[in-house]
Amino acid sequence: MWSNSLHRCALSAAGLLWVWLLALPVQARYYDDVIASGYIRIGLYRDFPPYSWLQDGEPRGIDVEIGKRIAEGLGVRFEPHWITPDENLDDDLRNNVWKGHYLDKNEDQPLAPKQLADVMMRVPYDREYAFKRDSTGEIVNEQVVMFGAYQRERWQVAYNSERIDSVSTVAVFQYHPIGVEIDSLPDFYLTSAFQGRMRDKTRHYANVREAFAAMQRGEVDAVMGMRAEIDWLLDEAKDPRFRRGENGFPMMGRQTWDLGMAIKHSHRQLGYAVEEVVDGLIRGGGMGQLYAAQGLGYELPGLYQDVVQ
């Protein structure tokens, strides 16, 4: 009986400790905190080339390079904050920008407050999404400010010119197999557009890299993904057989979108400072140079297309 009582007491103490750990605050930082600390945490998606990934233990990718320029512009050190995607972007913003995930912890200091990204990269710069409301009428992401558009993204096809003469229309994929990332917008589009006529020729892969590898093996004749992904894969392959398609995507809806950053709503001063650095990169041509150095094409976001040549 005494032993059981001790066991119950130990379990109770462990439970209280767990509740206390869950209640620890996340560490959200203001502009002055960032400058005083000497570093800035840039939120980057994990294993997501060409945007951000680890290679031989070192951060790589275009978002990494932009993050380094932001840090340099603020006079602080760049520090990556790696993001594992959750079910949707709302979850990613909550877990990494303003609240944190209850399972997150500081590896070096388990009892210290959990850390958030000071700035999160690759967030849609979209007013409709920013002010999206839930079923009760509340703004879903009211704790977040989305700002600093730095790139326009679009969908892109790459194809094997030895199998397909040209891709002037997606209708060719009624007859030629094309690889896509499973459950992506290209997947839904190619399996449903034109009364599903391309469905039987659509092949599914875990990501665009695997789809491209399948094209290299001859399993598919084309691949569809985001333009930067396609640009990077073509640059890496350096195979003259593989070319970019020039077609549009009828009935797809939005085919281009702008990408920016996000911060916690109470940290606008930090956002203004970061935005000033990014704005200088865009207007001075440095942003395009960063993309070119990564083997990527660059398209100005909508805010700059009429003012930057």
Side-chain angles (χ1 to χ4, degrees), residues 184-205:
S184 65
L185 186 56
D187 178 11
F188 298 132
Y189 173 70
L190 290 168
T191 56
S192 61
F194 303 109
Q195 293 79 49
R197 292 174 186 170
M198 299 177 286
R199 182 182 300 120
D200 292 342
K201 293 296 183 179
T202 303
R203 307 287 185 264
H204 300 95
Y205 299 90

Side-chain angles (χ1 to χ4, degrees), residues 84-127:
T84 299
D86 210 313
E87 291 186 4
N88 54 53
L89 179 58
D90 298 338
D91 293 337
D92 294 344
L93 291 167
R94 181 186 64 248
N95 294 339
N96 296 279
V97 175
W98 64 270
K99 184 177 182 180
H101 194 285
Y102 72 93
L103 290 178
D104 288 341
K105 64 181 184 299
N106 295 338
E107 295 181 1
D108 297 331
Q109 297 176 295
L111 298 185
K114 292 173 284 188
Q115 295 183 338
L116 297 170
D118 297 313
V119 178
M120 179 175 165
M121 305 295 293
R122 203 143 294 273
V123 176
Y125 185 81
D126 181 89
R127 180 177 177 82

Side-chain angles (χ1 to χ4, degrees), residues 203-252:
R203 307 287 185 264
H204 300 95
Y205 299 90
N207 52 54
V208 178
R209 283 167 284 158
E210 291 195 9
F212 194 90
M215 183 170 67
Q216 291 176 302
R217 295 191 299 268
E219 295 174 11
V220 296
D221 296 343
V223 176
M224 183 174 175
M226 287 185 286
R227 182 185 57 187
E229 291 181 293
I230 297 298
D231 283 350
W232 182 72
L233 289 164
L234 288 171
D235 185 67
E236 289 285 298
K238 293 180 172 56
D239 189 326
R241 293 179 301 164
F242 305 138
R243 302 176 182 175
R244 294 170 182 82
E246 301 299 330
N247 58 294
F249 306 101
M251 300 183 294
M252 191 177 194

Side-chain angles (χ1 to χ4, degrees), residues 139-207:
I139 296 177
V140 174
N141 293 302
E142 65 177 351
Q143 298 290 328
V144 174
V145 174
M146 301 172 202
F147 72 105
Y150 60 89
Q151 177 213 341
R152 173 158 289 185
E153 186 62 277
R154 63 176 63 242
W155 299 111
Q156 178 71 55
V157 165
Y159 67 97
N160 184 341
S161 62
E162 292 184 349
R163 302 284 188 88
I164 306 175
D165 291 334
S166 67
V167 180
S168 58
T169 170
V170 291
V172 298
F173 301 121
Q174 297 176 78
Y175 316 105
H176 294 273
I178 180 170
V180 295
E181 180 177 338
I182 191 168
D183 292 335
S184 65
L185 186 56
D187 178 11
F188 298 132
Y189 173 70
L190 290 168
T191 56
S192 61
F194 303 109
Q195 293 79 49
R197 292 174 186 170
M198 299 177 286
R199 182 182 300 120
D200 292 342
K201 293 296 183 179
T202 303
R203 307 287 185 264
H204 300 95
Y205 299 90
N207 52 54

Side-chain angles (χ1 to χ4, degrees), residues 10-54:
L11 288 176
S12 178
L16 288 172
L17 176 61
W18 178 243
V19 170
W20 177 72
L21 288 172
L22 292 182
L24 284 172
V26 293
Q27 186 175 349
R29 307 196 307 160
Y30 293 90
Y31 172 80
D32 290 342
D33 298 328
V34 170
I35 300 303
S37 72
Y39 68 92
I40 184 170
R41 286 192 297 268
I42 302 293
L44 306 162
Y45 279 105
R46 189 186 305 274
D47 192 29
F48 192 30
Y51 310 108
S52 48
W53 78 101
L54 281 171

